[in-house]
Amino acid sequence: MNILVTGAAGYIGSHTCVELLNNGYDVISLDNYSNSSPKSLERVEEITSKSIKKYECDLRDVEGIEKIFEENKIDAVIHFAGLKAVGESCKIPFTYYENNVSGTVNLCQVMAKMGCKKLVFSSSATVYGGNDIPYVETFKTGVEISSPYGRTKFMIEEILKDAAVSDNEWKISLLRYFNPIGAHPSGKIGEDPRGIPNNLMPYISQVAIGKLKELSVFGDDYETKDGTCVRDYIHVCDLARGHLLALERLQKDECEGVEMYNLGAGKGYSVLEVISAFEKASGKTVNRKFAPRREGDLPEFYADAKKAKEYLGFETELGIDKMCEDTWRWQQNNPKGYE
Ligand code: NAD
Ligand code: UD1
């Protein structure tokens, strides 16, 4: 079975490719490498001893997408490609809407034309916006989203719902990720942010290895267990497995139009808890200081993980210690990422 993976060379895409190849799927990758390196796909091939058919293509290039569908019989698409930096999206919103929203519309139009209507989409817990926790899939979305990035995810979800209303052949799974961290246990693939990382885990691991001086812990006066923000961290390999389960449900025709699922562990860790788990896993001290709150941060959110368990049979298996151990292995083996 041929699966087109957009954004395959990225952090979550590459881990999902491993899972797909290890489970007998054939992978066709589409990526413009704007935020990744083709080396990640070579590493995926090394890990799995299987090959990937690779296309360097931008989702804003409709003819490029068509060519891939003409040259291959695609059974389903897992769509990761998109820009994801929250702060950057506030500075260049048009670029985000064009890349993420128009790119997805282009992809779907080609899929419809070619008769391929099974899609798994990377959404985000950010679509919930508010602070009523845990987040349940039935919550109203799009109300208090704090960035253009988050709004692209909300808009794409709405567009995909419209697609399913217009044509009942569409089977779409919207996967709302919580906070993916960790790396493949081989230490060969992992998160490779460009420049100074915005997200907590890559920042911590770069401090631990001595690349960055110290971590700023944003806020120590939240109403949480220790005053720092609480998030629902999910190991990227668990997350990758969630995509396979969603895909299987689409293939079995069990999916009714559009379905949405939280992919999270269903429990939260504070920033200080993550730091101490990382120190334990790495044996290193993570220098840190308290800093003012970061604009747009919510004090605490985590998933209600029941729906994914009931319909996809998905449950996380890998805990915070393993997330930190695997991140550290990747960081030590690849201090400069894929460079
Ligand atoms: P990533 O940046 O590592 O991967 C995205 C990939 O898409 C990159 O390889 C990039 O080169 C490619 N890409 C971007 N725009 C493209 C375009 N127009 N055409 C072709 N390729 C393009 O990001 P990731 O962390 O792997 O995230 C994957 C998806 O999951 C994204 O859509 C992201 O918004 C979403 N998501 C990520 C997180 C997270 O914490 N990492 C959380 C929630 C949702
Ligand atoms: C952010 C985005 C979210 C996106 C996700 C993954 C916001 C409001 N949300 O989630 O939309 O899907 O990244 O890309 O930006 N922290 C520090 N110091 C740091 C970095 C982070 O203390 O240097 C804290 C943050 O305040 C937060 C926690 O660590 O409480 C996790 O931060 P981060 O990894 O950036 O993820 P989110 O903010 O949850």
Side-chain angles (χ1 to χ4, degrees):
M1 192 166 291
N2 290 330
I3 310 299
L4 176 68
V5 181
T6 77
Y11 172 45
I12 306 170
S14 55
H15 288 80
T16 304
C17 287
V18 169
E19 200 68 25
L20 287 166
L21 292 166
N22 281 343
N23 284 278
Y25 292 95
D26 292 310
V27 172
I28 295 150
S29 80
L30 177 165
D31 206 301
N32 65 0
Y33 307 117
S34 59
N35 195 41
S36 57
S37 161
K39 279 197 191 135
S40 66
L41 295 173
E42 289 166 20
R43 301 269 182 97
V44 169
E45 293 177 324
E46 251 176 75
I47 293 169
T48 60
S49 305
K50 306 240 169 81
S51 63
I52 294 175
K53 193 164 177 188
K54 307 175 197 71
Y55 287 88
E56 182 165 355
C57 174
D58 193 306
L59 283 180
R60 289 164 295 184
D61 167 15
V62 176
E63 283 172 16
I65 308 172
E66 278 177 347
K67 181 169 175 279
I68 300 175
F69 277 83
E70 278 156 10
E71 292 181 2
N72 303 279
K73 192 199 156 292
I74 310 276
D75 296 291
V77 178
I78 305 185
H79 175 33
F80 295 102
L83 299 174
K84 63 163 185 176
V86 173
E88 182 185 66
S89 77
C90 299
K91 296 193 183 104
I92 49 168
F94 297 146
T95 305
Y96 270 68
Y97 290 118
E98 187 196 16
N99 195 84
N100 294 5
V101 181
S102 305
T104 302
V105 172
N106 290 343
L107 173 68
C108 290
Q109 281 183 316
V110 175
M111 288 176 70
K113 187 169 156 191
M114 301 298 186
C116 171
K117 296 179 189 170
K118 293 194 169 90
L119 177 69
V120 178
F121 172 64
S122 298
S123 189
S124 166
T126 194
V127 298
Y128 292 113
N131 208 14
D132 203 5
I133 45 174
Y135 289 160
V136 187
E137 287 86 345
T138 48
F139 281 7
K140 191 167 167 53
T141 52
V143 183
E144 289 173 63
I145 298 177
S146 59
S147 71
Y149 162 72
R151 269 185 288 282
T152 67
K153 293 294 175 195
F154 169 69
M155 287 177 184
I156 294 168
E157 285 203 356
E158 298 302 297
I159 290 168
L160 295 176
K161 288 178 198 167
D162 288 341
V165 169
S166 74
D167 175 353
N168 63 14
E169 284 180 10
W170 277 104
K171 303 288 172 204
I172 301 172
S173 197
L174 308 176
L175 302 182
R176 296 175 178 162
Y177 311 158
F178 282 68
N179 288 52
I181 58 172
H184 191 267
S186 63
K188 287 180 192 288
I189 56 172
E191 190 170 10
D192 180 20
R194 301 215 162 148
I196 295 176
N198 296 309
N199 298 117
L200 181 64
M201 189 48 106
Y203 207 108
I204 288 181
S205 61
Q206 293 193 14
V207 171
I209 204 144
K211 210 168 152 186
L212 295 171
K213 201 169 128 265
E214 79 186 337
L215 172 78
S216 293
V217 176
F218 298 137
D220 63 352
D221 57 352
Y222 286 101
E223 280 185 30
T224 56
K225 47 186 140 182
D226 58 19
T228 64
C229 290
V230 170
R231 295 290 181 271
D232 184 339
Y233 295 94
I234 174 169
H235 195 296
V236 66
C237 294
D238 271 336
L239 186 66
R241 195 167 42 79
H243 289 74
L244 247 74
L245 293 168
L247 186 65
E248 280 167 17
R249 186 169 161 85
L250 298 188
Q251 299 297 22
K252 283 189 278 185
D253 275 332
E254 286 170 348
C255 171
E256 314 233 347
V258 174
E259 295 181 345
M260 48 289 278
Y261 295 101
N262 289 338
L263 293 186
K267 65 173 176 204
Y269 288 97
S270 72
V271 175
L272 294 181
E273 286 174 329
V274 176
I275 296 172
S276 84
F278 197 90
E279 288 183 329
K280 190 172 118 205
S282 64
K284 297 276 178 189
T285 302
V286 177
N287 300 323
R288 90 295 299 263
K289 64 168 188 219
F290 285 113
R293 292 179 177 197
R294 182 173 69 177
E295 204 184 331
D297 274 348
L298 292 168
E300 178 165 14
F301 64 80
Y302 50 89
D304 178 317
K306 290 198 271 302
K307 187 177 176 193
K309 184 176 177 190
E310 185 178 347
Y311 291 90
L312 301 179
F314 176 76
E315 265 185 300
T316 57
E317 290 170 359
L318 309 169
I320 192 75
D321 293 338
K322 177 77 172 143
M323 298 182 212
C324 294
E325 275 164 35
D326 290 336
T327 303
W328 182 235
R329 188 178 305 104
W330 154 255
Q331 179 70 61
Q332 277 184 300
N333 292 357
N334 306 270
K336 293 184 176 171
Y338 292 109
E339 215 175 85

